[in-house]
Amino acid sequence: MLDSFTKTIEALLEKKKYSSLRDVLSTMNEADIAAMFSEMPEESLPLLFRILPKDLAADTFALMDTDDQELLIRGFSDNEIKEVFDELYVDDAADIVEEMPANVVKRILKNTDPQMRNIINEILKYPEDSAGSLMTTDYISLRPRMTVSDAIKRIRRGINEAETIYTCYVTDDNRKLLGYLSVKNLLLADKDEKICDIMDKTIICVHTHYDKEDVAKDMNKYDFVTMPVVDDEGRLVGIVTFDDAIDVMQDEATEDIERMAAISPTEESYFKTSDFKHAKNRILWLLILMLSAAITGGILTKYEEACSAVPLLVSFIPMLMSTGGNCGSQSSTMIIRGLSVDEIKLKDYFKVVFTELRVSLILSVTLAVINGIRIWIMNKNFLISLVVSLSIIFIVIIAQFIGCSLPMLAKKCRLDPAVMAAPLITTIVDAASILIYFNIATRFFNI
Amino acid sequence: MLDSFTKTIEALLEKKKYSSLRDVLSTMNEADIAAMFSEMPEESLPLLFRILPKDLAADTFALMDTDDQELLIRGFSDNEIKEVFDELYVDDAADIVEEMPANVVKRILKNTDPQMRNIINEILKYPEDSAGSLMTTDYISLRPRMTVSDAIKRIRRGINEAETIYTCYVTDDNRKLLGYLSVKNLLLADKDEKICDIMDKTIICVHTHYDKEDVAKDMNKYDFVTMPVVDDEGRLVGIVTFDDAIDVMQDEATEDIERMAAISPTEESYFKTSDFKHAKNRILWLLILMLSAAITGGILTKYEEACSAVPLLVSFIPMLMSTGGNCGSQSSTMIIRGLSVDEIKLKDYFKVVFTELRVSLILSVTLAVINGIRIWIMNKNFLISLVVSLSIIFIVIIAQFIGCSLPMLAKKCRLDPAVMAAPLITTIVDAASILIYFNIATRFFNI
């Protein structure tokens, strides 16, 4: 659908039908406009953006790609910068400023009003992954002694700046957080009731330095649309909204997945990343794993004699290494994901190990029997099928033990468990597989 | 913090201090109570649950584990079932009913009021992964000709059943969706204004049979707290709320991650899954991959002569296979995640292939040079270091090509791209690596 829309827009633009263009754009949602903009040729963006109705323009701007934002800002007059940034919510403005090169930031800050400038500077001071850097300061706070009708008046006055009024927070004169109140409860209450009598005093909040991933997890746990953020003195300084929390969760999942494939996570999208950046994100782990695999190779040379004595032995190496690696990755993946969604905790270590041991017994015996029969039929050599089957049993058990233990060890050492995923586990299990296999083989074949 | 709380609760329970227990529980959030319940011994659950204040009880019940819910229901009197289910939001009630065994479902449906029963039955009729199965029918709809003050009266009347009033939907007499209105705009408007004059007519909605993953993606894209769901005739039949959308996104990420590690995805948590279920979820792919790896072994036997002639050749097999596998998994992971978050589309195929080719050139040359030098220094054998380095270059290029192509091919064939992840790619690349390596080696060594 978006594709055909893009074509319509392009045609109208070419024919210079600007007023129809504005009418068409006015019917669209800002997210769709931003998505469409990212598919348009760069040179048409400034014109298209200027055609947008003013209220849509800022909302669309907040949702555009960083590159396109920079392009537009560079073409903006000082006045246009002021117009757009004054309309933005401060958290969106801070996010944009964070991504811009220094000279662009200077121009933006010069052209925003002093209050916005101060808030942006404040938000930029928080560590990159903290609740403080994620929050918005556009919220409505009520006082405990207000009546419901005072509160509604206060909300109506402040509503234009506030990104959301799903939940109102109640603070004292020192901005200390006392409780909260949903708009639902506000609408239900009698208009003369005091806020302090109807507010919910169960305070669940996060600190400005709290990790943004944990903020998102907490919001998911409590089904919060907004989460209040407080400073060291318990003063309310901002709120995190659910849309930013969802983005954090998506980014964290992507980061986990990339790390699990031995890629250094990046925040840029696939096509926006340069070739050298792609290579840089992948090369470190490739080198580490390549050199570790050389160790497995070294171990293998110790068994050169055995290989020469029974050449058939070599042909089972890929199968054993691959099976061990796969079992290890399956275990480590289950544990990494479990740790990441808080289903598995560090104290569950022994419970996890016993579960994996029991599962590995079932798996290893099944695989050993099926493979043993296959080899016996195909090679008519009972001894070799016995050696391979026995090896599979030991390899699978060891692989699952390593696979479930290393992520938890990483977590214990405060490293990201996702580092202990398939590639590293596979490399370690490969070496173990070779050792197990040839130890069993040399015994049975008396080599 | 939760741990110490659990201990307090256990101590109070043991000392039969039920009224203090109720006071303590009343200060807690339902999500925390549900988390605490999951750590308590099963036999204390019915008592604890009965101690909960009534309004907390239903909210807590909705958040508990399925097993604990079943345990409680089995112990409930008919009247207790009625009390709890009448307090639940219908989407939560439908979710619970969906997970229960048939005899429990029968008791539940017998003891809920007819209206709730009809709605539950209605929701259960939708396909499992559809918007219909995810939605709630507890929402407030307004009529276009209402004034703002009529609307507020209507909201106050309906507010107790409605899960959320962040957004009100406007429908005509046939329940056809006409537009929407945020509570924010409602509060800002003059009380005599007509709803049809202030509502937003840009209708963004999903169909009851729309895939729930796409619903979640759309809600994320538009930053919606709720998404309206319509039937074939465009009539509003329910809304999906953001908390359910977040859960869907988390589940989908888990599913992708599991599938990428060759595990059949399951909705159960790690510890709730039985050993045999764990084994069943993993065995199929292990078998497929084990048998495919046997093919690589078969290829290897063809080069037995080469291995006997230059025994050192064998020792580089693990390193080459592992490097190829890792490069292939890195590419496939980038593409699978890109496809899953809609950053990469099928039509981008050639763009992706060229990107991966350029990246693979950088990576392969770097790896080949470093490894070539290492082998030359360690083995003092220029020819073998040349053979291995040349092999690395070809293997890495082929691996990345396979790694980026297969997930897109899967998507093209309407399969889940996540199936084409590390394990399968590694197995395919392993065979290719052996072929490339020995083809180069036999040429250079004239074997």
Side-chain angles (χ1 to χ4, degrees), chain B residues 128-413:
Chain B
E128 207 190 328
D129 288 333
S130 67
S133 75
L134 194 67
M135 71 186 185
T136 175
T137 54
D138 291 328
Y139 59 86
I140 292 177
S141 61
L142 305 176
R143 290 297 154 83
R145 312 206 56 78
M146 282 179 170
T147 62
V148 167
S149 60
D150 291 339
I152 290 180
K153 263 185 229 146
R154 167 81 191 78
I155 291 174
R156 288 183 69 150
R157 249 196 350 261
I159 216 164
N160 263 328
E161 296 133 41
E163 184 167 343
T164 160
I165 49 148
Y166 309 125
T167 308
C168 307
Y169 294 96
V170 186
T171 56
D172 67 10
D173 294 341
N174 296 317
R175 282 172 40 212
K176 210 170 128 45
L177 185 61
L178 301 175
Y180 69 93
L181 192 65
S182 69
V183 179
K184 179 170 159 172
N185 292 334
L186 200 65
L187 280 174
L188 263 182
D190 214 58
K191 68 180 196 302
D192 296 325
E193 276 185 275
K194 282 261 188 317
I195 293 298
C196 55
D197 296 330
I198 56 168
M199 72 181 185
D200 195 327
K201 287 166 197 140
T202 327
I203 296 178
I204 293 175
C205 60
V206 296
H207 189 270
T208 44
H209 281 73
Y210 204 60
D211 188 277
K212 67 178 181 182
E213 190 178 349
D214 294 327
V215 178
K217 270 189 204 165
D218 277 0
M219 290 179 71
N220 185 23
K221 175 176 166 194
Y222 296 115
D223 290 347
F224 277 2
V225 190
T226 54
M227 173 68 91
V229 183
V230 298
D231 65 10
D232 289 332
E233 280 82 39
R235 286 179 308 208
L236 184 65
V237 289
I239 58 171
V240 173
T241 55
F242 77 101
D243 47 325
D244 293 327
I246 292 181
D247 290 341
V248 168
M249 288 170 79
Q250 284 287 74
D251 289 349
E252 295 295 335
T254 301
E255 244 185 73
D256 268 7
I257 290 175
E258 287 177 352
R259 222 172 251 140
M260 286 167 81
I263 302 167
S264 311
T266 149
E267 297 221 335
E268 281 158 59
S269 76
Y270 182 80
F271 290 119
K272 299 271 167 192
T273 310
S274 72
D275 294 345
F276 278 96
K277 190 79 199 292
H278 269 304
K280 204 184 127 219
N281 292 337
R282 304 185 196 181
I283 191 77
L284 180 69
W285 271 107
L286 285 181
L287 274 175
I288 296 176
L289 296 171
M290 186 178 77
L291 298 178
S292 329
I295 299 174
T296 311
I299 297 175
L300 204 51
T301 51
K302 293 220 173 132
Y303 297 104
E304 252 171 40
E305 269 176 58
C307 293
S308 322
V310 190
L312 198 55
L313 281 179
V314 177
S315 73
F316 298 107
I317 293 178
M319 191 267 294
L320 291 171
M321 277 179 20
S322 133
T323 302
N326 290 329
C327 287
S329 339
Q330 285 183 336
S331 296
S332 70
T333 302
M334 293 298 288
I335 307 310
I336 291 169
R337 186 63 185 166
L339 287 170
S340 150
V341 297
D342 283 342
E343 234 174 63
I344 296 175
K345 306 211 166 59
L346 269 187
K347 62 170 185 195
D348 297 325
Y349 177 65
F350 290 105
K351 219 167 134 193
V352 166
V353 169
F354 285 120
T355 307
E356 289 301 309
L357 270 185
R358 290 192 309 264
V359 175
S360 71
L361 276 178
I362 306 176
L363 288 177
S364 61
V365 171
T366 316
L367 293 173
V369 168
I370 294 178
N371 208 38
I373 294 175
R374 182 188 71 81
I375 296 174
W376 196 9
I377 293 175
M378 288 177 69
N379 293 293
K380 317 258 180 303
N381 184 333
F382 176 73
L383 198 58
I384 202 138
S385 82
L386 185 68
V387 166
V388 173
S389 292
L390 269 182
S391 304
I392 286 187
I393 293 183
F394 286 108
I395 289 172
V396 170
I397 294 175
I398 296 284
Q400 293 197 200
F401 176 73
I402 296 176
C404 73
S405 297
L406 288 192
M408 298 192 83
L409 183 69
K411 175 103 180 180
K412 180 90 191 163
C413 304

Side-chain angles (χ1 to χ4, degrees), chain A residues 64-222:
Chain A
M64 288 169 64
D65 292 338
T66 306
D67 292 0
D68 293 343
Q69 286 170 339
E70 191 182 331
L71 180 98
L72 283 180
I73 295 177
R74 286 188 187 278
F76 278 169
S77 69
D78 286 359
N79 204 33
E80 280 174 313
I81 293 186
K82 189 173 163 44
E83 271 178 20
V84 170
F85 275 79
D86 284 356
E87 284 287 319
L88 288 175
Y89 296 118
V90 289
D91 57 339
D92 290 337
D95 282 350
I96 294 169
V97 169
E98 221 170 344
E99 299 293 326
M100 294 295 141
N103 58 342
V104 176
V105 171
K106 224 163 146 186
R107 270 194 72 206
I108 295 174
L109 291 180
K110 204 186 78 191
N111 291 299
T112 45
D113 71 49
Q115 205 197 341
M116 168 79 103
R117 187 160 51 221
N118 286 340
I119 299 173
I120 292 179
N121 277 326
E122 206 55 52
I123 292 180
L124 291 182
K125 258 187 244 155
Y126 293 108
E128 206 191 328
D129 287 333
S130 67
S133 74
L134 194 66
M135 71 187 187
T136 174
T137 55
D138 290 328
Y139 59 87
I140 291 176
S141 61
L142 304 175
R143 290 298 153 81
R145 311 206 56 79
M146 281 178 172
T147 62
V148 168
S149 60
D150 291 340
I152 291 180
K153 264 186 228 145
R154 167 83 190 79
I155 291 173
R156 289 183 68 149
R157 248 194 352 259
I159 217 164
N160 263 327
E161 295 131 42
E163 185 166 344
T164 160
I165 49 149
Y166 309 125
T167 309
C168 306
Y169 294 97
V170 186
T171 56
D172 68 10
D173 294 341
N174 296 317
R175 282 171 42 210
K176 210 170 128 43
L177 185 61
L178 300 175
Y180 68 92
L181 192 66
S182 69
V183 178
K184 176 169 160 174
N185 292 334
L186 201 65
L187 280 175
L188 264 182
D190 214 58
K191 68 180 195 300
D192 296 325
E193 278 186 276
K194 283 262 189 314
I195 294 298
C196 56
D197 297 328
I198 55 169
M199 72 182 183
D200 195 326
K201 288 168 194 135
T202 327
I203 296 178
I204 293 173
C205 60
V206 296
H207 188 271
T208 45
H209 281 73
Y210 204 62
D211 189 278
K212 65 178 182 182
E213 191 178 348
D214 295 325
V215 177
K217 271 187 201 163
D218 278 0
M219 292 179 71
N220 186 22
K221 175 176 166 193
Y222 297 116

Side-chain angles (χ1 to χ4, degrees), chain B residues 98-112:
Chain B
E98 219 169 346
E99 298 294 325
M100 295 294 141
N103 57 343
V104 176
V105 172
K106 224 163 148 185
R107 269 197 71 208
I108 296 174
L109 290 180
K110 202 186 78 191
N111 291 299
T112 46

